[in-house]
Amino acid sequence: MSAHLFVVMGSGETTPTMVTPHQQVFRRLPERPDAVILDTPYGFQENADELSARTQEYFATNVGTPVEVASLRAVDDPQAVEVERAQATIADADWVFIGPGSPTYLLEQLAPTQVPRLLRERLTDGSGATVVSSAAAVTIGSHAIPVYEIYKAGHAPHWRDGLGLLQVLGLDAVLIPHYDNAEGGTHDTRFCYLGERRLRAMEAALPDGTWVLGIDEHTAMEVDLADRSVVVKGRGGLTVRRADGSSEVVPAGETTSLDDLAAAARRTGATPAAAVTSTTAPEETHEPAAHEALLDEVAAHEAAFVEATEAGDADAATAAVLDLDRTIRAWAADSLTGDMREQAIATLRGLVTRLGEFARDGLVDTREVVGPFVELLLDERTAAREAGDYAAADRIRDGLVTRGIEVQDGADGTTWQRKDDA
């Protein structure tokens, strides 16, 4: 018997941090589930095919479950064959995933179709899992934040009509993912890049009784629709925020229920950040919030490298660099880590350079130590060129040149040599 689940993720849906929550959902479904991802949220992007392929690779390789794509990128005719095909696929699937992209584009494309109705029916009838994250998660309440329009294009704070999936569950709420975002550094980007000032203005425009349900980055809310229980998984927490600015938090590793969340929203005068309820889920442990999980892993590998070099252990230093390379590749499916991935690659280049210095001091031949890592960087450069990212490819080449490595492209491929050997 397949479980009946609704899963909401705040971000990180295709990163290593969310592999376990995905696997736990699939373990509650048939052994070979009919699993599909809907490509609508990012259907306007020129690299939509690449994003779909990367997502499929993540689920097949990291999670261990193959998934297909239900393609519904631009709806010009709601009776078109591709629309009917996508709707039938969504209706019949054991597992449906809708993720990052543009909330506004998703809403506009789904509006003339039967998909909103089918998603509501998936929550009220039958079995299977419906998983939403990032942009798609923004749309599941009574109202949705037009994130790009406000944060990127400078439009005045305003709401769009949402899909109303939370209302089907008895929650008169709007959903805000990326709730604990801290990318702004010197400016407030919490609450899906709104910040406190804009969120307060938008809350004032909500109908009476409508409240905010926030979910942190790299965090999942798993709802068992059979008994209305809620388990919070991942790195952060789930926040009930009321109109008076007070809030209650369910941290990762705890359980509550849909009814308790609704009751928490009706309470007044509660101490901010009080726990909503509950018993600890046996398979979860509470982890501290992490806004830049990739960079946390990079820092750990760099620390391991430093420890190894201080101990004079060339093998351990080499292992740390290889581990960093594997980490960068493991995060490649995530579409939101562009800048952080660049920082990770910069760290990798720096460690390769330090390995060269380590070898130059007499432990082993420089080329034997540096060679494999130069090849790794050249592989990254080749991948960047194939993807059309020539700026990144040039940065890798220039970085090697400044560190004494000459790169030559020829008919037989790319070769390199140290300037000292030229």
Side-chain angles (χ1 to χ4, degrees):
M1 181 68 178
S2 178
H4 193 195
L5 305 173
F6 183 43
V7 182
V8 183
M9 296 184 170
S11 80
E13 56 283 328
T14 53
T15 68
T17 60
M18 301 309 288
V19 167
T20 297
H22 283 307
Q23 290 175 333
Q24 290 169 348
V25 169
F26 279 117
R27 282 201 291 268
R28 301 182 65 184
L29 300 179
E31 184 176 351
R32 283 181 282 275
D34 182 6
V36 298
I37 59 174
L38 182 64
D39 65 3
T40 312
Y42 56 86
F44 64 95
Q45 295 185 213
E46 291 296 320
N47 64 338
D49 286 335
E50 178 188 345
L51 294 175
S52 291
R54 283 163 54 185
T55 304
Q56 288 180 288
E57 174 67 18
Y58 169 84
F59 280 102
T61 303
N62 296 45
V63 179
T65 302
V67 302
E68 300 299 324
V69 178
S71 189
L72 192 61
R73 296 185 183 176
V75 180
D76 298 318
D77 176 5
Q79 274 73 52
V81 172
E82 62 270 20
V83 176
E84 296 291 348
R85 183 182 298 116
Q87 291 175 166
T89 300
I90 290 168
D92 296 338
D94 298 308
W95 178 92
V96 172
F97 173 81
I98 315 175
S102 165
T104 305
Y105 187 80
L106 175 64
L107 290 168
E108 289 175 348
Q109 298 309 310
L110 295 189
T113 74
Q114 297 300 309
V115 174
R117 175 184 62 80
L118 293 171
L119 292 175
R120 289 191 288 269
E121 289 179 354
R122 287 184 64 86
L123 304 188
T124 56
D125 303 317
S127 59
T130 304
V131 183
V132 296
S133 65
S134 298
V138 171
T139 69
I140 66 172
S142 59
H143 299 72
I145 304 168
V147 180
Y148 286 2
E149 290 82 351
I150 296 173
Y151 184 60
K152 296 292 188 182
H155 292 192
H158 63 286
W159 295 101
R160 297 287 297 265
D161 289 339
L163 297 175
L165 302 186
L166 291 179
Q167 282 61 39
V168 172
L169 305 182
L171 304 180
D172 193 6
V174 297
L175 194 287
I176 300 184
H178 297 280
Y179 198 75
D180 62 344
N181 181 271
E183 292 177 25
T186 58
H187 65 283
D188 189 2
T189 53
R190 292 173 299 162
F191 320 133
C192 203
Y193 308 95
L194 289 177
E196 180 70 27
R197 180 185 62 81
R198 284 184 292 206
L199 177 56
R200 281 192 175 277
M202 292 181 69
E203 284 176 309
L206 288 171
D208 289 344
T210 302
W211 48 280
V212 169
L213 182 62
I215 185 165
D216 290 340
E217 298 184 329
H218 299 278
T219 303
M221 174 183 78
E222 182 181 295
V223 181
D224 189 320
L225 296 166
D227 63 10
R228 297 178 60 82
S229 63
V230 177
V231 183
V232 183
K233 302 181 176 185
R235 293 177 175 267
L238 184 68
T239 300
V240 174
R241 175 175 164 125
R242 293 176 287 266
D244 64 1
S246 65
S247 61
E248 300 186 26
V249 178
V250 187
E254 293 196 0
T255 63
T256 183
S257 71
L258 294 173
D259 296 331
D260 286 337
L261 293 175
R266 293 191 295 269
R267 284 194 282 273
T268 58
T271 302
V276 170
T277 84
S278 31
T279 30
T280 300
E283 61 185 357
E284 292 292 321
T285 57
H286 179 61
E287 295 181 275
H291 310 299
E292 297 179 342
L294 170 57
L295 295 187
D296 289 345
E297 294 189 42
V298 171
H301 295 315
E302 187 172 20
F305 177 90
V306 170
E307 182 179 352
T309 56
E310 289 178 348
D313 189 339
D315 288 342
T318 302
V321 177
L322 291 173
D323 288 342
L324 174 55
D325 178 70
R326 279 190 288 270
T327 294
I328 293 171
R329 294 175 186 275
W331 282 79
D334 186 36
S335 61
L336 300 177
T337 58
D339 291 342
M340 288 184 286
R341 189 169 185 271
E342 285 294 317
Q343 293 179 54
I345 292 173
T347 300
L348 177 63
R349 292 200 299 266
L351 296 191
V352 170
T353 300
R354 290 159 70 182
L355 266 180
E357 296 170 353
F358 196 34
R360 185 187 60 206
D361 291 338
L363 289 177
V364 291
D365 179 71
T366 304
R367 191 175 181 94
E368 289 181 6
V369 173
V370 175
F373 307 105
V374 172
E375 296 294 338
L376 287 174
L377 289 172
L378 291 178
D379 287 345
E380 291 284 348
R381 178 173 178 259
T382 299
R385 295 175 71 185
E386 291 175 350
D389 192 352
Y390 297 105
D394 289 345
R395 285 196 297 273
I396 293 173
R397 180 201 61 204
D398 294 343
L400 289 170
V401 169
T402 60
R403 291 163 174 82
I405 303 295
E406 292 184 343
V407 177
Q408 297 177 334
D409 297 314
D412 296 327
T414 300
T415 59
W416 66 274
Q417 63 179 358
R418 296 179 305 166
K419 288 181 180 179
D420 292 344
D421 296 336

